[in-house]
Amino acid sequence: MAHIRNNGDSKHGRPGGYRRAGASMRRTLRREAPSTIGLLADEQDFAAMRRYRTFTFDDHTVYLQQVEVLLKTLSAQGMHATVALFDPEEYAEYCAESGLAPDAPASRSRFTAEVASAGATVAYTGQPIDTLIPLLVSRAVRRATWEYATMLLAGLGECADCGKDVGHAAFDRASHLLLRMLETAGPGTHHLVCSTPTDNENLLAVLHTERDSAGPARLESDEGAEFVTVLAVGIALERPGGVVLRTSRPGAQDRVHGWRLTRGDLAPLSAGEVFSAYCTDADTGEPVAPESHVEYCAGFDLGADEPESHH
């Protein structure tokens, strides 16, 4: 047990040294307690929160500046800070379901903690607020896509012919195809995009990974699972989506390969089809100039071995 020296009494008779030591310990604990900030990323969400009397900001630009100052202050104090996306509509629903008063700072704080525990967050490492916001929004979109795709797979039930869970089988097949794709692509930095249309929206997943010559590809767990889940939806629903793989190696041209999702499997595109898909604006349909350091290649055969995509 540590000995605390008595440096004098307070007027209430409590040791001054004890009081100062207690304050020091609280400051130490505060530095080790992480902070989470719920961020209103756009002006529309900011305007929605202004209906609450206890939300005292009236200018979105100033609000963002103050958030950045707070983040810098926390970082300067050696504290870990995380930013979560604050959605006013979800907040109102959360308060209604939880019986909380929405016009209260404590309710906003509790909601932010809930979002951070289960949703998309970005750790503050000194990046400017203009860099942090697009990253946070991108992660939130990815998270929503993953949750929606997971819900679709879970709702497919069992195959009427073989009794196997359709969603699980499609996920296994998608995982197998991704690994075959990366193994065949070989060493390098790989950037993959998977697009899968559904009845309600077009699902998009992006995966970045690296593979050296001495070992297998390294997959970031969340990003890899998101990619496989979106691909699995296309396999299970037999929707006409696709996958594009771009591989970069030092001292060589980037190589782009492509596949078409057809009848629940990935069929290789020709070099011309890859060129056309990669050099066409997805929104306008207008041609886009090809990149000079890119080679557009046919997709390679991924094989038809197990696990099967159909049951």
Side-chain angles (χ1 to χ4, degrees):
M1 179 179 292
H3 174 71
I4 301 176
R5 186 175 60 177
N6 187 342
N7 288 326
D9 295 342
S10 71
K11 67 178 182 178
H12 298 295
R14 300 184 67 181
Y18 178 85
R19 184 175 57 192
R20 286 190 290 272
S24 176
M25 285 188 284
R26 286 193 295 274
R27 284 194 296 270
T28 300
L29 289 172
R30 183 70 187 92
R31 284 196 299 269
E32 296 187 10
S35 296
T36 305
I37 296 173
L39 180 67
L40 296 160
D42 60 48
E43 292 189 13
Q44 184 176 351
D45 287 346
F46 180 83
M49 290 301 295
R50 291 196 61 199
R51 68 177 181 267
Y52 299 121
R53 180 185 56 81
T54 57
F55 185 80
T56 57
F57 291 95
D58 57 10
D59 184 280
H60 188 237
T61 300
V62 174
Y63 161 80
L64 292 179
Q65 292 171 347
Q66 292 303 310
V67 169
E68 186 167 22
V69 170
L70 174 58
L71 288 169
K72 289 180 178 179
T73 301
L74 293 172
S75 179
Q77 294 172 351
M79 297 171 59
H80 176 76
T82 301
V83 181
L85 200 63
F86 195 104
D87 186 303
E89 290 186 9
E90 292 182 3
Y91 171 65
E93 294 173 2
Y94 172 80
C95 288
E97 293 171 358
S98 305
L100 298 174
D103 196 0
S107 299
R108 294 195 288 273
S109 178
R110 181 170 167 179
F111 173 73
T112 298
E114 292 281 349
V115 170
S117 66
T121 60
V122 173
Y124 178 71
T125 57
Q127 62 269 57
I129 196 76
D130 291 342
T131 301
L132 190 149
I133 289 176
L135 180 59
L136 181 60
V137 171
S138 174
R139 289 196 180 175
V141 170
R142 277 177 42 201
R143 182 80 183 194
T145 299
W146 186 12
E147 291 175 351
Y148 179 66
T150 301
M151 180 188 68
L152 285 178
L153 290 177
L156 294 176
E158 297 179 348
C159 175
D161 295 328
C162 68
K164 291 185 178 180
D165 186 287
V166 175
H168 284 172
F171 190 91
D172 289 344
R173 179 63 180 166
S175 301
H176 174 75
L177 289 172
L178 174 59
L179 291 176
R180 285 292 300 271
M181 198 179 301
L182 294 174
E183 287 170 1
T184 308
T189 299
H190 304 297
H191 175 84
L192 299 99
V193 178
C194 177
S195 176
T196 299
T198 68
D199 292 337
N200 297 318
E201 59 183 299
N202 186 59
L203 302 182
L204 192 70
V206 178
L207 174 63
H208 302 271
T209 184
E210 293 184 5
R211 182 185 176 191
D212 55 37
S213 57
R218 297 187 295 271
L219 294 179
E220 193 275 320
S221 57
D222 286 350
E223 203 175 70
E226 291 163 8
F227 187 92
V228 170
T229 304
V230 170
L231 178 56
V233 169
I235 291 172
L237 300 181
E238 299 190 352
R239 296 299 173 89
V243 173
V244 173
L245 164 67
R246 179 168 179 161
T247 299
S248 303
R249 298 187 183 96
Q253 285 187 315
D254 286 7
R255 295 171 61 88
V256 177
H257 302 268
W259 294 263
R260 177 188 297 108
L261 262 172
T262 177
R263 299 183 63 187
D265 218 336
L266 288 175
L269 294 175
S270 68
E273 288 173 321
V274 172
F275 178 88
S276 177
Y278 216 80
C279 299
T280 302
D281 188 285
D283 295 324
T284 65
E286 295 295 321
V288 177
E291 299 177 58
S292 59
H293 63 289
V294 173
E295 182 181 358
Y296 301 93
C297 312
F300 37 82
D301 184 18
L302 299 176
D305 52 340
E306 293 292 337
E308 294 290 347
S309 57
H310 302 291
H311 300 276

